[in-house]
Amino acid sequence: MAETISKEKQEKQNAAAPFLRIQNLVKDFDGVLAVNDVTVTINKGEIFALLGSSGCGKSTLLRMLAGFETPTAGKIQLNDLDISRIEPYKRPINMMFQSYALFPHMTVWDNIAFGLRRDGMSATDVSSRVESMLELVQLKNYGKRKPHQLSGGQQQRVALARSLAKRPQLLLLDEPLAALDKKLRERTQLELVNIIEQVGVTCVMVTHDQEEAMTMASRIAVMSEGRILQIGRPSEIYETPNCRFVADFIGSVNLFKGKVSVDESDHVIIDTPECQHYVGHGITGTKGMEVSVAIRPEKIRITQNKPDKPHNWVQGIIKEMAYLGSYTVYHIKLPSGKVIKATTANAERLPDWQPTWDDQVYASWDEYAMVVLTQ
Amino acid sequence: MQKYHNKISQLLTGRFPVIAVPYFWLALFFLLPFLIVLKISVAEMETTAISPLVSFIEGKLNLKINFSNFVSLFNDPEQYYLWTYLRSIVFAAVTTLLCLLIGYPFAYFMARSPVERRPALLMLVMLPFWTSFLLRIYAWKGILETNGLLNNFLLWLGVINEPIHMMHTKFSLILGMVYTYLPFMILPLYSNLVKLDNRFLEASADLGATPLQTFWRITIPLSKAGIIAGSMLVFIPCIGEFVIPELLGGPETLMIGRVLWDEFFSNNDWPRASAVAVVMILLIIVPLAIFNKYEAEQMGSNKR
Amino acid sequence: MSAGSIKQGALSKGVLVLVYAFLYIPIITLVVFSFNESKLVTLWSGFSLKWYYAVLHDKEIINGFWLSLKVAFFTATASVVLGTFAAVALTRYKRFAGRTMFSGMVSAPLVMPEVIVGLSLLLTMVTIQKWLGYPERGMMTIWMGHTLLGMAYATVVIQSRLTEMDKSLEEAAMDLGSKPLQVFGLITLPLIAQSLMSAWLLTFTLSLDDVVLSMFLSGPGSTTLPIVIFSRARLGLNPEVNAVAAVTIAAVSAFVIFGSIYMARAEKKKQREISAAFREANQ
C-alpha cells in the first residue's frame, strides 16, 4: 500500500483551493436516510475517494453529485455555483459508470463524440477532440470498433475517454476498477491516476476497496450508514484513525479495551486486561476514562525471549499462521483468550528462527505504535 | 403568464404525456366499456333503447336500478345459465389440466435440450402459434369428420369397422381447445424452465436424490411461476371461448360465450347479455388477479 | 452415458416428436388437401390448383383479405406506439397515481375472453354514437378493438426488453448532455428497436387472425377475412379455405424461418467478435 505522492500532487495539495463544497447533504428514501448530513469540501485538482462498504451511502452521494438523485436537504456548490437541483445534462460534471455504460449500438468514436455533439460542437472540433482522447487512453486505432469488440480493460479506457472528452470541471468515478480482475486492476490503478493528473481534472471516486482508495486518492472520506466518519490523507486514516470503525475498516487492527491509569501531557498509561500500554504522547482525555488502544499487525514484533521492558508486550501461543510470500501472518492466542494478529515481513530468505504452530512467543511494540481511540 | 406557459411546457415534455396517452386510451376503451356494461346490466330493455338509470319523473330524481336481469339468470327452473357457467368452467379446467400435462414435459425437454438446438425448437413451437388459429381449428374439422381423415385412416388400418362419431362432441371440443391453447402453456413454462439453474439439480443429485425426487421436489416447485402463468393464460380465455365450440362443439358443449352471443344478436336483449358478461367477469376476477400479480413479479424479477 | 440418461434421452426425443406431430399434422393436412382435385377433403382424387384459382376470383375472400390487411397494418402501428408509451411508463416511472390500476388495465386484455371485450366495446360504440353520431361501425371500430388487444401484447414484449436494458446507458447519455427526449431517441429507441419489430409483427398477426372482436365490431361492408372463413367453416368444409390456409402458412413459415436464421447468424457473428476481442486482449 505505497503512497506515491508525485511532485505535482504535493504542490496541488499545498495550494488547496476549495472547489466542490457539499454542505449538510441529506437524502431520504422513504424514511431511510441513505445520506445523513454530510459536509465535505473537495479541493481543485485532487482525487478524492469515498470509501465504505455497500449501503454506506457513498453511491447515493455520488449520484447526487451527478444529478441522478435530488437531495432531500442541503447544498452542493461547484466553484460557487449551486448545482444541487440542476439536471444532470446541464451540469459541467461527467461520470464514469461501474458497468462502463458504453452505447452498444455506436462505435468507440461515436461513443466519445456523443457528449461533444450534444453541445453542438463543429465536426472538425469534434474530430480533433476525439482523436486526442483516443491517444490519451492509448486506443488510437480502435475508433471504428464497437464496444462488444473490445476487452474489459479496453472498454474501461473508452469509458474514461468518453467521460473526459467534454473537459468537465468534475469527474466522477463509480467503482472504476470493480469489473477488472486483480492483475489488471493493479496495473490500471496507476495508469488511471496518471491520466487524471495529466488532464488535471478534479475527481471524486467511490469504492469499497480500501487498497484502491489508498493507491489512487490524495484524500479519503470513510463513510458508514450515511455519515462521514473521517477525512484525511491515506497515511492519516491508516495511522491515526479517529474511531474503532475506521481503525477496523482500513486494514487489520488489534484493539485492546481498557482504562487510563496515568494521564500526563507527554505520556499516558492505559491498563488493559492483557497488559499495560505506555503511549509516548499525550491524549485528550482524563484519568479513569475508558478507551481502546489500536495496534496495527505490522507494528508488532515477535520474539522468542521475553522483552526487557515493563509495558507494551504480551505472551501467547501461535494458534494460526499463513505464509503469504512477502510476509507471514500470525494469530497469537493470549492467556485471556484474546487472539491478536501480527504480520512479519519475510526480510530474510532463511532466517535463524521462524515461529511455528503452538510455539510460545512474545509479542511487543514500541510506545508510538499505538493509537488511542475514545469512540 | 410566463409561469403558466412554463408549467404547461414542462407538463407536455415531462413524464405526463408518456403516462397520460396510454392511460387515456385504456380509460376510453377498457374502463368505460366495463362501466357501460355494468350500467346496462342493471337497466331495463325498452322497445328500442335502454332506459336511463337516472331520470326526472314529476320533478323528482328517480334512480332506476334493476337487478331483475341478474335474478332472472338464476331463477330459471332448468338453470340454463347456471349449468352453462359450470360447464364452461369445467371445460376450461380440463383444457388447462391437459395443456399442463402435455405442455410441461414438452417445455421441460425443450429447456434441457442442447443449447444450439433450442432456438430451432422454439421456432418450431412458434410457427403454429403465428399461423391463424381459425385455420388450424378448421383443419381439425377435416380430420375428425365422420368421413374425415382420422376415420378413414383407422378404417384403412382395420382398427375399426365403422367410422367413430367424433365431431361435435365433448371430445372434439376439448381436443380443439387443447390444440389451440397449448403454445400459451408451453411458452411461459419454457421461459421459466430455461432460466432454471442446472446447478440446483446437480446439487440435489449430489445430496442423494433420485432423478424423480429431484423433479418433484426441486424442478416443479421452482417452476411454479411458469405453471401459474401458463395456467391462467389458458384457463381465463378458455371460459369465454366462442369460435372453437362453434366449429368443433355440439349441442352438449354449450358454453357461455355462445350464450352471450345469442342474448345479444339473436334475442337482442342487451341488458341480459350484459348481465351474463358481468357474471362472467366476476367468475374470472380471482384468476385474473392471480395472473396480474404474476405479471408484476415477472417484470420485477427481470430487472438487474 | 449412464443408462438413466440414455432412457431420459429417448423419453425426451419421444415427447418432443409426439407433441410436434400433434401440432403440425393438422397444418400439413390443410396444405396437402388444398391441392386435392375433389371437393371432398377426405378423398384424394388428384393434384389440382383449381381451388387456388377459385380463391383468386372469389370477391368475398379478396375484399376480406384487403380489409384485414389494412386493419392489421394500422392496428400493429397503433399498438406499438401505445405499447411503447405504456412500457416506458411502467418501467421508468416507479410511482404515479393509479399505477396498479394502469398496470392491470394494460395486461387484462391479454387474458380476457374476447366475447366480453367485444360486447363491452360494441355497447360503448353504440352509446357514443348516440351522443356524437360517430363512429359508425366499420373498419374504424374494428381497428379500435384490435388495438386494445394489440396494445396489451405490445406492452408485454416491449416492457420485457426495457427492463432487461441497462438503465445506466440512459443515465450516461444524460450525464453527457442529452435531454430526456434525445436520450429516448438516440439511445433507448435503437436498443429496443428489435422488440418493437417483434411487437409489430405479433400484433399484425393477431389482428389478421381475429374473429370474435371483428364480428362484434364490424358493420355492413366491413367483413374481414376471418369473418368470411368462419361463416364458411360453420357451414361445412370448403377447399377454398384450404387454399387460403396453404398460402398463409407458406407466408408465415417463410417469414419465421428466414427471420430466425437471420437472427441466429447475427448472434453468432456477435459472439465471434466478442471472443476475438477477448483473445486479442490476452495476448
Side-chain angles (χ1 to χ4, degrees):
Chain A
M1 280 188 270
E3 189 191 64
T4 53
I5 308 184
S6 63
K7 188 150 170 280
E8 294 136 64
K9 229 191 202 171
Q10 188 83 55
E11 280 172 16
K12 282 205 191 100
Q13 266 164 219
N14 294 339
F19 189 62
L20 177 67
R21 267 183 249 262
I22 300 170
Q23 284 168 290
N24 304 104
L25 208 56
V26 178
K27 181 64 186 175
D28 185 334
F29 284 123
D30 278 336
V32 175
L33 289 172
V35 173
N36 193 352
D37 197 21
V38 164
T39 302
V40 63
T41 305
I42 294 161
N43 303 319
K44 194 163 167 58
E46 77 171 329
I47 300 180
F48 192 91
L50 298 172
L51 174 65
S53 41
S54 39
C56 70
K58 58 190 195 296
S59 299
T60 313
L61 183 54
L62 197 77
R63 285 171 67 82
M64 282 198 277
L65 292 177
F68 299 126
E69 306 279 358
T70 350
T72 314
K75 209 160 65 156
I76 306 174
Q77 263 183 322
L78 184 66
N79 213 6
D80 294 331
L81 175 66
D82 187 344
I83 63 167
S84 327
R85 281 172 175 77
I86 300 184
E87 292 95 333
Y89 42 92
K90 291 197 190 140
R91 299 190 190 195
I93 303 176
N94 286 132
M95 183 155 137
M96 189 172 123
F97 290 77
Q98 183 175 357
S99 66
Y100 309 144
L102 296 179
F103 307 129
H105 58 298
M106 295 186 190
T107 59
V108 166
W109 181 278
D110 288 327
N111 262 281
I112 301 176
F114 186 81
L116 302 169
R117 291 189 178 134
R118 296 305 121 237
D119 281 349
M121 218 186 224
S122 77
T124 31
D125 289 338
V126 169
S127 184
S128 62
R129 183 74 68 86
V130 172
E131 283 293 341
S132 64
M133 283 294 126
L134 284 173
E135 230 188 286
L136 180 68
V137 296
Q138 292 164 355
L139 284 176
K140 205 151 188 251
N141 296 320
Y142 287 73
K144 291 256 185 305
R145 292 217 195 167
K146 288 229 178 114
H148 69 269
Q149 293 170 301
L150 302 172
S151 71
Q154 290 166 334
Q155 287 179 4
Q156 194 220 34
R157 283 186 268 160
V158 175
L160 182 65
R162 187 178 73 176
S163 58
L164 289 172
K166 291 175 76 162
R167 307 234 172 99
Q169 291 182 22
L170 183 65
L171 176 67
L172 304 175
L173 302 178
D174 187 6
E175 311 258 10
L177 303 170
L180 302 175
D181 60 76
K182 192 159 198 282
K183 265 263 134 71
L184 196 55
R185 218 184 300 173
E186 288 171 8
R187 229 192 311 155
T188 318
Q189 271 168 8
L190 300 170
E191 260 181 44
L192 210 52
V193 171
N194 283 335
I195 295 179
I196 294 176
E197 286 183 340
Q198 209 181 321
V199 172
V201 65
T202 313
C203 173
V204 175
M205 63 179 271
V206 147
T207 178
H208 62 275
D209 186 327
Q210 32 153 310
E211 212 179 285
E212 194 170 294
M214 309 213 5
T215 313
M216 294 176 62
S218 47
R219 277 198 308 151
I220 303 175
V222 180
M223 284 186 74
S224 169
E225 289 180 2
R227 289 184 197 274
I228 292 188
L229 297 175
Q230 187 171 2
I231 304 178
R233 296 210 302 277
S235 54
E236 288 165 10
I237 305 257
Y238 188 77
E239 299 291 3
T240 43
N242 67 2
C243 65
R244 296 238 302 278
F245 183 91
V246 175
D248 200 29
F249 189 82
I250 311 277
S252 316
V253 74
N254 297 298
L255 291 169
F256 296 85
K257 278 218 264 243
K259 271 212 189 106
V260 178
S261 60
V262 170
D263 178 28
E264 301 288 336
S265 55
D266 64 342
H267 71 272
V268 289
I269 297 186
I270 298 165
D271 288 332
T272 68
E274 296 80 15
C275 69
Q276 242 189 7
H277 299 264
Y278 182 98
V279 182
H281 59 79
I283 61 167
T284 46
T286 52
K287 184 164 155 180
M289 198 164 86
E290 286 194 14
V291 293
S292 294
V293 178
I295 310 176
R296 297 282 182 198
E298 69 275 6
K299 310 287 193 286
I300 297 180
R301 235 184 32 242
I302 300 180
T303 54
Q304 243 175 340
N305 309 309
K306 190 167 110 160
D308 192 19
K309 57 182 180 178
H311 316 108
N312 299 346
W313 62 266
V314 286
Q315 185 192 54
I317 301 182
I318 297 192
K319 272 288 137 199
E320 298 293 341
M321 61 178 269
Y323 180 82
L324 296 175
S326 56
Y327 63 96
T328 305
V329 180
Y330 301 95
H331 289 251
I332 302 167
K333 189 162 179 184
L334 308 181
S336 67
K338 185 179 174 69
V339 177
I340 62 170
K341 186 172 162 185
T343 60
T344 310
N346 295 327
E348 289 170 56
R349 265 186 79 233
L350 306 163
D352 295 325
W353 171 74
Q354 184 135 54
T356 184
W357 284 275
D358 298 325
D359 275 0
Q360 194 175 73
V361 293
Y362 293 88
S364 58
W365 51 93
D366 72 36
E367 62 192 45
Y368 299 110
M370 297 155 281
V371 177
V372 182
L373 302 170
T374 50
Q375 289 157 275
Chain B
M1 201 58 211
Q2 183 63 21
K3 201 175 89 169
Y4 291 120
H5 192 257
N6 279 343
K7 201 81 170 91
I8 291 177
S9 75
Q10 204 181 40
L11 272 183
L12 280 177
T13 51
R15 42 149 72 178
F16 184 73
V18 179
I19 303 175
V21 167
Y23 218 120
F24 177 72
W25 182 278
L26 286 172
L28 189 59
F29 292 110
F30 191 81
L31 203 54
L32 183 62
F34 277 124
L35 295 175
I36 290 182
V37 169
L38 213 54
K39 178 218 171 200
I40 292 181
S41 70
V42 292
E44 264 171 26
M45 191 78 202
E46 280 168 11
T47 43
T48 48
I50 314 282
S51 61
L53 282 182
V54 179
S55 56
F56 277 102
I57 296 185
E58 290 162 352
K60 270 197 294 185
L61 203 64
N62 201 330
L63 191 66
K64 232 199 305 192
I65 294 189
N66 194 339
F67 287 108
S68 65
N69 295 307
F70 290 97
V71 175
S72 75
L73 284 183
F74 299 106
N75 242 355
D76 166 24
E78 278 171 48
Q79 291 294 20
Y80 174 72
Y81 294 98
L82 185 63
W83 282 119
T84 311
Y85 280 116
L86 286 175
R87 204 179 298 125
S88 307
I89 294 177
V90 169
F91 283 145
V94 170
T95 306
T96 308
L97 194 61
L98 285 173
C99 282
L100 195 56
L101 289 174
I102 301 176
Y104 195 97
F106 184 79
Y108 180 78
F109 288 126
M110 243 177 85
R112 311 266 277 133
S113 298
V115 191
E116 329 75 65
R117 290 218 210 122
R118 283 190 221 154
L121 291 177
L122 193 61
M123 184 195 80
L124 286 176
V125 172
M126 296 295 278
L127 199 53
F129 175 74
W130 288 77
T131 320
S132 163
F133 101 101
L134 182 58
L135 294 170
R136 289 183 291 134
I137 296 296
Y138 170 81
W140 279 107
K141 271 178 87 88
I143 297 176
L144 296 177
E145 279 286 340
T146 307
N147 60 344
L149 287 165
L150 187 57
N151 270 321
N152 286 349
F153 180 67
L154 292 175
L155 283 169
W156 176 77
L157 273 186
V159 177
I160 55 173
N161 289 328
E162 264 178 26
I164 311 175
H165 171 62
M166 289 184 280
M167 205 44 192
H168 302 301
T169 60
K170 285 190 213 135
F171 168 74
S172 56
L173 173 74
I174 301 280
L175 181 62
M177 298 218 281
V178 170
Y179 183 76
T180 308
Y181 285 97
L182 193 57
F184 285 89
M185 175 65 84
I186 292 178
L187 290 172
L189 275 178
Y190 171 75
S191 87
N192 185 294
L193 284 169
V194 98
K195 291 193 205 129
L196 193 66
D197 200 335
N198 229 3
R199 290 175 286 184
F200 289 131
L201 309 176
E202 288 172 4
S204 170
D206 182 69
L207 290 166
T210 64
L212 202 61
Q213 285 174 328
T214 305
F215 185 72
W216 271 118
R217 288 167 168 274
I218 310 285
T219 313
I220 293 206
L222 284 178
S223 54
K224 197 169 72 158
I227 296 178
I228 293 178
S231 304
M232 292 302 114
L233 275 175
V234 174
F235 182 72
I236 302 176
C238 233
I239 294 183
E241 192 41 70
F242 175 74
V243 174
I244 304 175
E246 282 297 295
L247 292 180
L248 293 178
E252 54 184 32
T253 64
L254 181 66
M255 286 177 74
I256 202 70
R258 173 62 192 264
V259 167
L260 196 149
W261 177 276
D262 284 340
E263 293 297 339
F264 189 83
F265 285 110
S266 306
N267 295 352
N268 242 322
D269 193 342
W270 293 13
R272 181 168 277 193
S274 306
V276 172
V278 170
V279 175
M280 217 197 299
I281 296 173
L282 289 174
L283 279 179
I284 62 175
I285 275 192
V286 169
L288 200 58
I290 297 177
F291 177 74
N292 210 22
K293 191 172 138 228
Y294 163 79
E295 272 290 297
E297 275 174 24
Q298 266 303 84
M299 285 307 145
S301 71
N302 268 344
K303 276 196 259 285
R304 283 204 208 122
Chain C
M1 263 240 277
S2 68
S5 70
I6 292 181
K7 264 194 268 180
Q8 200 192 51
L11 184 64
S12 165
K13 284 214 177 68
V15 169
L16 289 174
V17 166
L18 276 176
V19 176
Y20 276 125
F22 177 58
L23 286 174
Y24 278 93
I25 286 179
I27 298 179
I28 297 173
T29 63
L30 270 183
V31 178
V32 167
F33 281 93
S34 70
F35 297 110
N36 189 8
E37 233 268 276
S38 111
K39 195 168 159 88
L40 292 173
V41 177
T42 55
L43 217 55
W44 179 264
S45 62
F47 185 90
S48 166
L49 286 176
K50 74 185 203 196
W51 302 114
Y52 290 89
Y53 289 132
V55 165
L56 284 175
H57 296 295
D58 190 331
K59 263 232 181 94
E60 223 193 353
I61 288 187
I62 299 293
N63 288 341
F65 174 68
W66 284 121
L67 181 66
S68 291
L69 212 60
K70 271 189 268 180
V71 171
F73 182 82
F74 289 119
T75 300
T77 311
S79 300
V80 168
V81 169
L82 287 168
T84 308
F85 274 89
V88 170
L90 285 173
T91 49
R92 295 286 180 253
Y93 305 140
K94 288 296 152 254
R95 279 185 234 177
F96 54 89
R99 186 179 204 269
T100 355
M101 187 166 87
F102 181 73
S103 156
M105 285 202 289
V106 166
S107 56
L110 276 176
V111 283
M112 275 289 180
E114 273 188 63
V115 288
I116 298 183
V117 180
L119 178 71
S120 52
L121 274 177
L122 179 53
L123 291 173
T124 311
M125 303 286 175
V126 170
T127 313
I128 296 181
Q129 193 184 19
K130 265 207 272 214
W131 295 343
L132 300 174
Y134 170 90
E136 281 289 328
R137 294 221 300 279
M139 184 168 130
M140 180 77 154
T141 48
I142 301 179
W143 168 71
M144 289 177 181
H146 285 195
T147 304
L148 180 68
L149 201 60
M151 177 180 160
Y153 280 91
T155 307
V156 170
V157 173
I158 303 174
Q159 198 179 351
S160 150
R161 173 70 183 122
L162 266 177
T163 44
E164 188 180 82
M165 189 178 112
D166 191 355
K167 205 173 87 150
S168 57
L169 287 171
E170 293 174 353
E171 288 182 348
M174 274 206 286
D175 176 71
L176 289 164
S178 311
K179 302 197 196 62
L181 216 59
Q182 289 175 316
V183 173
F184 184 76
L186 292 170
I187 306 294
T188 318
L189 217 49
L191 290 175
I192 63 172
Q194 206 178 47
S195 72
L196 292 183
M197 184 91 264
S198 311
W200 198 93
L201 290 170
L202 182 62
T203 46
F204 183 83
T205 314
L206 244 47
S207 166
L208 212 50
D209 190 28
D210 182 83
V211 180
V212 179
L213 275 184
S214 310
M215 287 207 285
F216 269 101
L217 299 171
S218 68
S222 58
T223 325
T224 61
L225 186 60
I227 297 179
V228 173
I229 295 179
F230 182 66
S231 337
R232 295 198 188 177
R234 252 170 157 173
L235 298 172
L237 295 171
N238 187 333
E240 272 186 58
V241 176
N242 286 53
V244 171
V247 173
T248 313
I249 292 168
V252 170
S253 310
F255 210 84
V256 172
I257 293 177
F258 286 128
S260 307
I261 294 181
Y262 172 76
M263 290 208 344
R265 283 235 183 100
E267 186 61 34
K268 265 210 196 112
K269 177 164 169 250
K270 198 167 188 190
Q271 292 292 63
R272 263 185 281 130
E273 288 174 346
I274 293 178
S275 3
F278 185 74
R279 263 180 283 127
E280 182 199 288
N282 287 350
Q283 267 157 8

